[in-house]
């Protein structure tokens, strides 16, 4: 089923309600978990230990293979907050810019970008609403020409991260609340607006608008979309092969990370034996 085409006319007159378009990020715009690629970029710059990369790699593998899991997300979030404590916002933002140029730019689904571009051309208010850190969401939004982004907010004081969140993680129902807040602040008519997501956890945001669409849906969202009559867009090429391919790539990355840890352990053991 093909969703209603994005209208080409401007979203609204100067005094009327506007049309909005709300996009999830991970596996909707970007293939995989964007926070994993930020974590890898931070690791390469010495932010944390090899075993943390293994943990994030396992999360990425499970995410690509099985979809989102709140417990796993909470676990990774907590460890990420611990790692960020004491680092400056400016430093992390600069690294996130590099990660976008080096990795995320190459992982954007062309089909989703076309949809986003059509909404921008139509004069709609285009927002990214994601559980990923706000720093990443805002960079992606700016680079793609979207109106703005909301994401999970890590607290910072005097320009340095404290290791705590501001509010809760922007996930599930919290996304729906964020969409309602954006609509109220920007005069957006949700009944005439669009939303896009890939996971059953995006059902709350998809349910807020008049024109929801599942993009690259996981099994549960695909089933739900069929039950309620939501359109589905599949931008992964050769869906089954792509799933298998991403799993293989993730396993290779995991093997690399485990190899790093193993080599470190062996070197430490040899050093203690020779001492």
């Amino acid at each position: 089923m093909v969703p209603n085409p994005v209208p080409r006319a401007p979203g609204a007159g100067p005094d009327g309600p506007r049309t909005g378009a709300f996009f999830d990020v991970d596996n909707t715009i970007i293939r995989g978990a964007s926070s994993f690629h930020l974590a890898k970029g931070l690791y390469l710059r010495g932010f944390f230990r090899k075993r943390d990369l293994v943990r994030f790699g396992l999360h990425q593998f499970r995410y690509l293979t099985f979809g989102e899991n709140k417990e796993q997300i909470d676990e990774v979030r907590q460890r990420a907050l611990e790692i960020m404590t004491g680092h400056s916002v400016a430093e992390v933002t600069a690294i996130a810019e590099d990660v976008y140029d080096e990795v995320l730019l190459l992982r954007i689904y062309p089909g989703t970008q076309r949809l986003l571009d059509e909404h921008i051309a139509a004069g709609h208010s285009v927002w990214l609403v994601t559980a990923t850190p706000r720093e990443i969401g805002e960079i992606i939004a700016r680079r793609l020409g979207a109106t703005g982004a909301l994401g999970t907010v890590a607290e910072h004081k005097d320009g340095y991260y404290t290791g705590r969140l501001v509010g809760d993680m922007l996930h599930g129902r919290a996304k729906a609340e964020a969409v309602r807040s954006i609509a109220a602040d920007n005069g957006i008519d949700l009944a005439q607006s669009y939303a896009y997501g890939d996971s059953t956890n995006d059902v709350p945001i998809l349910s807020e608008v008049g024109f929801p669409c599942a993009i690259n849906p996981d099994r549960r969202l695909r089933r739900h979309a069929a039950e309620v009559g939501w359109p589905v867009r599949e931008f992964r090429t050769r869906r089954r092969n792509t799933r298998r391919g991403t799993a293989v790539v993730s396993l290779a990355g995991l093997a690399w990370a485990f190899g790093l840890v193993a080599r470190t352990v062996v070197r430490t053991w040899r050093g203690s034996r020779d001492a």
Side-chain angles (χ1 to χ4, degrees), residues 167-191:
D168 201 359
M169 191 172 181
L170 197 63
H171 192 258
R173 294 192 179 279
K175 280 188 176 182
E177 294 171 7
V179 165
R180 289 195 294 270
S181 178
I182 291 173
D185 292 343
N186 294 274
I188 293 172
D189 181 359
L190 290 178

Side-chain angles (χ1 to χ4, degrees), residues 2-56:
V2 178
N4 291 353
V6 176
R8 291 291 179 179
D15 300 319
R18 303 185 66 193
T19 295
F22 304 95
F23 287 80
D24 171 53
V25 171
D26 292 348
N27 271 349
T28 302
I29 295 176
I30 302 288
R31 179 165 55 87
S34 54
S35 54
F36 166 75
H37 299 293
L38 175 60
K40 185 177 177 183
L42 294 173
Y43 166 76
L44 293 173
R45 291 160 177 84
F47 268 60
F48 53 88
R49 295 166 293 183
K50 296 178 181 70
R51 68 184 184 186
D52 293 310
L53 186 65
V54 172
R55 183 182 301 181
F56 293 137

Side-chain angles (χ1 to χ4, degrees), residues 5 103 126 205:
V103 182
V126 179
I205 186 177

Side-chain angles (χ1 to χ4, degrees), residues 102-113:
E102 295 166 4
V103 182
L104 300 183
L105 177 63
L106 305 176
R107 301 177 72 88
I108 294 173
Y109 289 110
T112 308
Q113 181 160 11

